[in-house]
Amino acid sequence: MDLQTLKQKMDECHYIYDETLATVLFVALQLGRPLLIEGAAGVGKTEIAKVMAAALDRDLVRLQCYEGLDESKALYEWNYQKQLLSIQIHQHEDDKSALQRSLFSDEYLLERPLLHSIRSEKPVVLLIDEIDKSDEEFEAFLLELLSDMQVSIPEIGTVAARTIPFVVLTSNRARPLSEALRRRCAYLHIEYPDMEKELAILRAKLPHIDDQLCAQVALATHQLRQSDVILKKPSIAEALDWAAALDALGIRELTPDALRRTAGFVLKNNDDIDHFLDQGLQPHNHSCGCGGQCGGHHHG
């Protein structure tokens, strides 16, 4: 797949991207390098993995990271109940070594996301989401997979990848990641979209919604993110939810009443909602409703 074909595939997924993002994705894919994506929560890091899975026509295998995540949840686990049953059935047989070997065969191996992604017959997209929420020990455990596309299982040995997954790691920068992990990855940092890009996303994802309403939502969302009193900045997904909620109510104008009725779709914190309603954030009075920041697009 060349760069132009990848762009075409992302266009078909209605994904809005810039030249830098498309180039980094293409080169990481060509080189077989894991891609580390950092940025604030809600800027669309996870969406990149989903779009790449669709563009490459691959399954998406997702590992959601959290504190305390270990190998048994991320890599593999043995089916202990099945092993115990087998021991009971074969306990009177003479060849104990054969029984022991059989207990640690594929028949009793439970694949978790990491092992499944490298043992898959067809290449997949492996999303290791919010790696910064995991412990440093788990991050160190990942290094073998990220550098050599293999993992070590004590009872079996080294398991090399049958196919090379396209690996995407995301981080909200809750804690610093090690230099060892960073060295093994290509890197991309994503900011919240500017007004023009946010409007393009709303149009692409919600083409049936009134264009003026999309412009007003884009501007109001931008204002919320710029506000110092809003603690949880609205994500792109929440902007989409907000526009969809307004449209579901038949609202075509972001009036104070519309803001009050739908605030819970764009903000998920009561203090933020109170500040939002108190400030009365509204799009400026402009013919297209976008405050003159829509980049001069035509509005139907």
Side-chain angles (χ1 to χ4, degrees), residues 216 251-261 281-283:
Q216 292 180 344
I251 294 172
R252 296 292 177 267
E253 186 77 19
L254 266 184
T255 62
D257 180 63
L259 295 174
R260 178 184 57 79
R261 294 169 65 189
L281 294 174
Q282 299 179 50

Side-chain angles (χ1 to χ4, degrees), residues 186-248:
Y187 180 78
L188 186 65
H189 185 269
I190 300 181
E191 302 280 357
Y192 284 114
D194 58 20
M195 272 287 303
E196 185 173 357
K197 185 176 181 181
E198 186 110 46
L199 185 54
I201 292 170
L202 288 165
R203 285 171 172 160
K205 297 293 186 180
L206 303 170
H208 61 286
I209 292 183
D210 180 79
D211 205 48
Q212 178 172 308
L213 180 63
C214 284
Q216 292 180 344
V217 168
L219 177 58
T221 302
H222 182 72
Q223 290 176 325
L224 286 170
R225 292 187 188 131
Q226 296 297 312
S227 173
D228 293 334
V229 298
I230 300 299
L231 299 177
K232 169 63 173 68
K233 309 301 182 185
S235 67
I236 297 172
E238 286 160 345
L240 291 165
D241 285 346
W242 192 19
L246 291 162
D247 181 67

Side-chain angles (χ1 to χ4, degrees), residues 32 45 49 56 58 71 73 103 108 118 169 219 225 242 300:
K45 302 183 295 296
L56 300 172
R58 298 185 181 185
E71 294 181 33
K73 295 291 185 280
L103 291 175
Y108 302 93
I118 66 170
L169 302 95
L219 177 58
R225 292 187 188 131
W242 192 19

Side-chain angles (χ1 to χ4, degrees), residues 1-290:
M1 179 182 292
D2 59 22
L3 178 57
Q4 196 57 42
T5 302
L6 178 60
K7 289 180 178 179
Q8 181 182 339
K9 293 287 186 181
M10 290 194 291
D11 288 338
E12 292 171 1
C13 295
H14 306 292
Y15 184 73
I16 307 302
Y17 57 87
D18 57 30
E19 192 67 28
T20 297
L21 189 149
T23 302
V24 170
L25 288 175
F26 172 72
V27 175
L29 179 64
Q30 291 296 107
L31 297 180
R33 290 291 298 278
L35 174 62
L36 171 61
I37 306 175
E38 287 190 326
V43 297
K45 302 183 295 296
T46 300
E47 185 68 14
I48 291 177
K50 295 178 180 178
V51 168
M52 286 299 287
L56 300 172
D57 192 24
R58 298 185 181 185
D59 290 339
L60 176 66
V61 178
R62 181 172 182 170
L63 175 64
Q64 180 62 51
C65 296
Y66 54 88
E67 187 177 349
L69 178 64
D70 59 17
E71 294 181 33
S72 67
K73 295 291 185 280
L75 183 59
Y76 77 100
E77 191 171 15
W78 293 109
N79 190 333
Y80 299 116
Q81 291 182 330
K82 191 173 181 180
Q83 286 176 324
L84 287 172
L85 181 60
S86 180
I87 290 171
Q88 291 173 353
I89 292 173
H90 300 286
Q91 61 182 332
H92 300 298
E93 294 182 5
D94 294 332
D95 193 350
K96 302 300 184 183
S97 61
L99 172 59
Q100 185 175 0
R101 288 193 301 272
S102 70
L103 291 175
F104 296 103
S105 62
D106 273 3
E107 182 181 356
Y108 302 93
L109 186 63
L110 300 176
E111 291 182 348
R112 300 309 186 203
L114 298 182
L115 185 59
H116 174 70
S117 69
I118 66 170
R119 281 168 44 109
S120 174
E121 296 294 339
K122 296 176 61 177
V124 302
V125 172
L126 171 61
L127 169 61
I128 303 175
D129 213 9
E130 298 183 307
I131 180 63
D132 53 318
K133 289 187 176 180
S134 67
D135 301 319
E136 292 180 5
E137 292 79 4
F138 180 76
E139 182 185 331
F141 158 74
L142 280 179
L143 298 180
E144 181 183 15
L145 173 67
L146 297 179
S147 59
D148 301 323
M149 286 298 157
Q150 66 180 34
V151 294
S152 296
I153 298 177
E155 300 87 350
I156 295 177
T158 300
V159 179
R162 292 177 184 167
T163 54
I164 304 299
F166 181 65
V167 183
V168 176
L169 302 95
T170 71
S171 169
N172 298 335
R173 306 189 73 173
R175 68 168 178 84
L177 300 177
S178 70
E179 289 302 316
L181 184 139
R182 291 180 179 276
R183 282 197 302 270
R184 287 161 170 80
C185 301
Y187 180 78
L188 186 65
H189 185 269
I190 300 181
E191 302 280 357
Y192 284 114
D194 58 20
M195 272 287 303
E196 185 173 357
K197 185 176 181 181
E198 186 110 46
L199 185 54
I201 292 170
L202 288 165
R203 285 171 172 160
K205 297 293 186 180
L206 303 170
H208 61 286
I209 292 183
D210 180 79
D211 205 48
Q212 178 172 308
L213 180 63
C214 284
Q216 292 180 344
V217 168
L219 177 58
T221 302
H222 182 72
Q223 290 176 325
L224 286 170
R225 292 187 188 131
Q226 296 297 312
S227 173
D228 293 334
V229 298
I230 300 299
L231 299 177
K232 169 63 173 68
K233 309 301 182 185
S235 67
I236 297 172
E238 286 160 345
L240 291 165
D241 285 346
W242 192 19
L246 291 162
D247 181 67
L249 292 172
I251 294 172
R252 296 292 177 267
E253 186 77 19
L254 266 184
T255 62
D257 180 63
L259 295 174
R260 178 184 57 79
R261 294 169 65 189
T262 60
F265 287 92
V266 68
L267 296 172
K268 306 301 170 66
N269 176 291
N270 189 57
D271 290 337
D272 285 346
I273 291 175
D274 288 343
H275 287 308
F276 176 48
L277 298 179
D278 289 344
Q279 288 184 355
L281 294 174
Q282 299 179 50
H284 301 304
N285 184 19
H286 185 268
S287 61
C288 71
C290 67

